[in-house]
Amino acid sequence: MITSIFKKSSIVNYTLVFLLLLAAFFVYQNSLLSQSNPVIGSSANALLIILLLVCFFLVNFIVKKNGLTKNSSYAILFFLLYLMLFPSVFSHSNLLFANFFLLLAMRRLISLQTLKAPKEKIFDASMWIFIASLFHFWCILFVLLVYISIIFHVSRDYRNWLLPFVAFVATAVVFLLAALLIDVSWISHIIKQTRMNFELDYFTNNFQNAALSFYVVAALYFWLSMVFTLTNRPLILQASYKKMVLGFVIGSVVFLLSPEKNNAMLLFTFFPLAVMTTNNIEYSQNKMYQEIVLLLLTTGSFIAFFAQL
């Protein structure tokens, strides 16, 4: 039943995802208020909602424009379900901004397969990644995906290998000038984020631990499923799927390295995992399997969401 709703793209599907996103966001904000935790103002709420909606638009645009999924709404649905697994994401504006810029970078890197204006795309992707690292430093590791994309598509031109350095210098100069003119503490904030912390001892309750465990099991299943069936995918899309596989790994490393660790930092893995989950569903001919996977993910996400309020 669930598969019949989201296996096609329609305004009804987008509206349903939009309403679920709004409901989850405001329910979480209301839970913070009831617990006497700091909450953000209405203008900040509006900004975060717009940012989330733009991220959903980008996810949908990237997968449809580049043929990463069939004509379905599964990608944005799974992106929403993974968000609900870790509702604390809704209160981390820096992570949401970083993810927004990473999605812009992914859009350019995936479209690199067309070989149209490769230098512009490499520079743009690198710049978006470096801007994302200003909000969360370890996002800078995604520049590895830029070089992986260069290897896949345009490795023969040595100038392509230098473009990320040019983007880094441009971004660093603009940032330093802005920091010196507006607030020099921005520099110390970035330096503070360069620390590493591999310990997973940040849980404040067992429900956060359970949500992480559920996510790890689901993520490993869909990641391995993509890895072992990659050669069965259309040849023209294999490079893009490899970027999803590697993007998920890089996002996981960002989570493991981050100094002030929390489950919300897994946000950087949600897009590639949503694509891999969608492919797992769409390429299966077993309707019962599709329903079971969707039911498990939906039930698990909703239970984890309400348990952590």
Side-chain angles (χ1 to χ4, degrees):
M1 179 179 178
I2 304 178
T3 54
S4 62
I5 298 175
F6 289 95
K7 69 180 180 180
K8 295 293 183 182
S9 292
S10 69
I11 189 65
V12 175
N13 296 346
Y14 297 138
T15 302
L16 181 58
V17 171
F18 169 70
L19 293 176
L20 285 173
L21 173 62
L22 286 182
F25 181 86
F26 285 111
V27 167
Y28 178 72
Q29 292 297 332
N30 186 63
S31 73
L32 292 182
L33 184 62
S34 64
Q35 297 170 20
S36 299
N37 289 328
V39 293
I40 57 180
S42 57
S43 58
N45 270 333
L47 176 61
L48 290 182
I49 290 171
I50 293 172
L51 187 60
L52 283 165
L53 291 176
V54 172
C55 286
F56 273 81
F57 170 79
L58 282 172
V59 169
N60 190 65
F61 178 82
I62 293 169
V63 298
K64 295 294 177 57
K65 181 70 173 179
N66 299 283
L68 297 179
T69 65
K70 298 179 181 178
N71 186 31
S72 71
S73 304
Y74 289 137
I76 57 172
L77 172 64
F78 291 131
F79 191 77
L80 173 62
L81 293 179
Y82 292 137
L83 274 175
M84 292 179 64
L85 264 178
F86 309 115
S88 60
V89 171
F90 295 130
S91 61
H92 286 80
S93 57
N94 59 322
L95 298 181
L96 289 173
F97 273 105
N99 186 65
F100 165 68
F101 289 114
L102 288 179
L103 285 174
L104 290 176
M106 292 296 294
R107 169 180 169 268
R108 299 298 272 171
L109 290 178
I110 294 174
S111 66
L112 195 59
Q113 66 181 356
T114 63
L115 300 181
K116 295 180 180 178
K119 290 179 175 58
E120 288 85 347
K121 292 177 181 178
I122 292 170
F123 179 85
D124 289 349
S126 302
M127 183 186 66
W128 292 133
I129 290 170
F130 292 131
I131 293 176
S133 70
L134 299 178
F135 292 93
H136 188 76
F137 174 76
W138 287 108
C139 287
I140 199 170
L141 292 178
F142 276 92
V143 77
L144 295 174
L145 203 57
V146 175
Y147 284 106
I148 290 169
S149 300
I150 292 173
I151 293 172
F152 285 163
H153 305 294
V154 286
S155 60
R156 293 185 179 181
D157 190 340
Y158 74 92
R159 291 172 294 182
N160 293 328
W161 296 87
L162 300 177
L163 286 172
F165 292 99
V166 177
F168 173 77
V169 172
T171 306
V173 168
V174 173
F175 170 73
L176 289 173
L177 286 175
L180 292 173
L181 292 173
I182 302 173
D183 188 349
V184 73
S185 65
W186 292 356
I187 299 174
S188 60
H189 176 70
I190 294 294
I191 295 174
K192 183 180 177 181
Q193 288 188 38
T194 61
R195 294 182 294 109
M196 292 184 289
N197 176 20
F198 294 95
E199 296 181 4
L200 297 176
D201 57 355
Y202 58 87
F203 302 108
T204 58
N205 57 61
N206 290 330
F207 297 120
Q208 292 179 355
N209 197 346
L212 178 62
S213 300
F214 179 82
Y215 182 77
V216 169
V217 171
L220 281 176
Y221 174 74
F222 293 119
W223 186 82
L224 290 172
S225 173
M226 175 61 78
V227 169
F228 287 114
T229 61
L230 194 56
T231 55
N232 298 329
R233 311 292 175 175
L235 186 61
I236 193 174
L237 294 175
Q238 287 187 16
S240 296
Y241 289 138
K242 288 176 182 177
K243 294 173 192 175
M244 294 296 101
V245 169
L246 296 169
F248 176 81
V249 172
I250 295 172
S252 301
V253 173
V254 170
F255 165 75
L256 292 173
L257 291 179
S258 298
E260 299 175 358
K261 198 176 274 73
N262 59 71
N263 284 347
M265 291 179 183
L266 287 166
L267 172 63
F268 308 125
T269 66
F270 291 174
F271 169 62
L273 185 60
V275 173
M276 290 186 285
T277 307
T278 300
N279 273 264
N280 182 274
I281 292 289
E282 290 182 336
Y283 280 87
S284 172
Q285 302 300 316
N286 190 325
K287 297 294 184 182
M288 181 63 70
Y289 170 79
Q290 295 176 344
E291 291 286 352
I292 290 174
V293 170
L294 271 171
L295 183 61
L296 286 175
L297 286 176
T298 304
T299 304
S301 296
F302 273 84
I303 291 175
F305 175 78
F306 287 106
Q308 293 175 80
L309 296 180

